[in-house]
Amino acid sequence: MSQSGTLYLRRRALGWLSFAAMVCPVPVMALANAPAADAAWPSRPITLVVPYTPGGTNDNVARLIAEKVSARAGQPVIIDYKPGAGGTIGAQFVAKAKPDGYTLLNASIGNLAIAPQLVPVHFDPFKSFQSIAYVGNGITTFAVRPDFPAKNLKELVEYAKKHPVSLGTSGVGTPGHMAGEYFQQLTGIQLQHVPYKGSAAAINDAIGGHVDLVIDPLSTTFVRGGKLKALAYFGTDAPPEGVSGVQSVVQQGFKQWDSAFGGSFLWTAPAGLPEPIRQKLTQWVLDAIADPEVRKALVNVQVNPVPQGAEETTAIVRKMHGIAQSVFGSGAVAVNDKSGKSPADGKAKN
């Protein structure tokens, strides 16, 4: 073909492309901008942000689920610790991340529903996130040192009306903090809140007699070992293994008590996550929880598996957010530790 003929065909082809772009600009642009994404995802490692310090229940849950999701994804799931401000620093990091399925949050009711009532946050607990799946509730005990003069919640209330009682928690804005505040509202007693930078520190001080009461999933382990005494349990329908002769909070007359007060663990992502990716992640997390070995391991780290899909997870967060608002009201709750310094920026281990 001559050079002039070739140029003619090229011009004709360009003319048709220009015409197509004018007649149907949306499909053409959509095709140009469509993320190669969904089909190829994941093509690189996924980051799962743990918003608390290593070694706590949130970290244990993250690792158990991440291992199984990694196997399904064919890519590593890397744990990235971003603790601080009741878990809200990690949450804020994920809220601002690109919604491409490569940055996820191992969230809790603490950093999405409770802490935002007490510390400044730069995210919306609902608009900034896309729920993926709910993992379960913390198996929690009201625990005191073995020689504490109370054997149940009624006796604790009677004692607290006559004597000062201190409550050690893993930090401001954590489930243990809210559980303590709510219990005070239900009973009319006053507890001195002593927030720590982690569950372990609070429990060690309870064992040593420096604080009277702890409300934390990790306390259940020490009840089994005889270093603490359980007054009540919640987060599960049956008494935790090794915790005998103790009734649940509800059985002891507190019908309003919610299992999620012991800590709730869920996976979430930045808002705008493509639906095909969300669906994959939801299924992978739910499949992980269905694994008998994972369920057993969750119970061993004091978590009662309660698998739920994305919509149900958002509903749980909304419910707990509403309860937290009613508990903390304007946020005018004493948050100082014994030294008088605010621990809001502490690295809670939840």
Side-chain angles (χ1 to χ4, degrees):
M1 181 180 292
S2 69
Q3 186 175 0
S4 60
T6 303
L7 287 173
Y8 171 76
L9 290 176
R10 285 179 181 172
R11 287 172 182 159
R12 187 181 178 90
L14 287 171
W16 275 110
L17 285 173
S18 299
F19 175 75
M22 287 187 292
V23 172
C24 49
V26 175
V28 171
M29 290 304 294
L31 190 61
N33 295 328
D38 304 357
W41 181 90
S43 59
R44 56 186 171 86
I46 298 168
T47 295
L48 178 63
V49 172
V50 169
Y52 301 98
T53 50
T57 308
N58 191 286
D59 182 26
N60 291 332
V61 170
R63 290 181 176 278
L64 286 169
I65 305 300
E67 181 180 356
K68 294 296 182 180
V69 169
S70 176
R72 293 292 301 274
Q75 292 288 343
V77 176
I78 299 170
I79 305 296
D80 185 11
Y81 299 99
K82 294 190 180 299
T88 60
I89 289 177
Q92 181 173 307
F93 177 85
V94 174
K96 294 180 179 295
K98 188 176 179 180
D100 56 7
Y102 289 104
T103 305
L104 310 173
L105 178 67
N106 193 67
S108 74
I109 291 302
N111 61 356
L112 292 189
I114 305 173
Q117 316 288 338
L118 299 171
V119 299
V121 296
H122 301 286
F123 61 81
D124 184 290
F126 309 110
K127 295 179 182 179
S128 300
F129 299 98
Q130 164 61 61
S131 296
I132 293 171
Y134 191 78
V135 178
N137 302 322
I139 301 173
T140 304
T141 53
F142 277 69
V144 294
R145 63 184 183 276
D147 64 347
F148 188 82
K151 298 187 294 294
N152 52 48
L153 295 182
K154 180 181 178 182
E155 292 183 5
L156 171 65
V157 171
E158 291 174 352
Y159 181 86
K161 287 179 177 178
K162 300 175 183 178
H163 307 87
V165 173
S166 54
L167 168 66
T169 74
S170 59
V172 170
T174 57
H177 181 198
M178 185 170 81
E181 291 293 335
Y182 190 52
F183 189 68
Q184 290 178 84
Q185 291 181 14
L186 293 178
T187 60
I189 63 173
Q190 293 292 318
L191 300 173
Q192 179 193 1
H193 181 214
V194 185
Y196 291 81
K197 292 183 179 180
S199 301
I203 288 167
N204 284 338
D205 267 11
I207 293 171
H210 304 297
V211 291
D212 299 308
L213 173 68
V214 282
I215 308 174
D216 193 281
L218 193 57
S219 63
T220 310
T221 300
F222 292 86
V223 170
R224 286 198 195 105
K227 293 185 177 181
L228 290 174
K229 175 175 65 177
L231 305 182
Y233 70 87
F234 59 100
T236 177
D237 295 331
E241 182 181 349
V243 179
S244 58
V246 179
Q247 291 185 318
S248 71
V249 178
V250 172
Q251 288 171 334
Q252 293 188 49
F254 299 96
K255 306 296 184 184
Q256 315 94 317
W257 203 262
D258 194 289
S259 292
F261 284 171
S264 304
F265 305 95
L266 56 132
W267 277 37
T268 191
L273 183 71
E275 183 61 11
I277 294 177
R278 199 280 304 162
Q279 290 177 0
K280 283 185 181 180
L281 282 166
T282 297
Q283 191 59 56
W284 292 347
V285 173
L286 294 179
D287 287 348
I289 303 169
D291 185 302
E293 290 185 0
V294 171
R295 294 181 70 88
K296 182 178 179 181
L298 285 170
V299 172
N300 286 341
V301 297
Q302 317 311 327
V303 174
N304 180 35
V306 187
Q308 301 285 341
E311 291 185 9
E312 294 85 353
T313 299
T314 299
I316 293 170
V317 175
R318 285 190 179 279
K319 175 185 177 184
M320 295 309 297
H321 189 272
I323 293 174
Q325 280 186 323
S326 68
V327 170
F328 291 113
S330 63
V333 174
V335 297
N336 289 344
D337 61 17
K338 289 178 179 177
S339 67
K341 298 177 181 178
S342 174
D345 59 349
K347 298 180 179 180
K349 183 189 294 182
N350 193 318

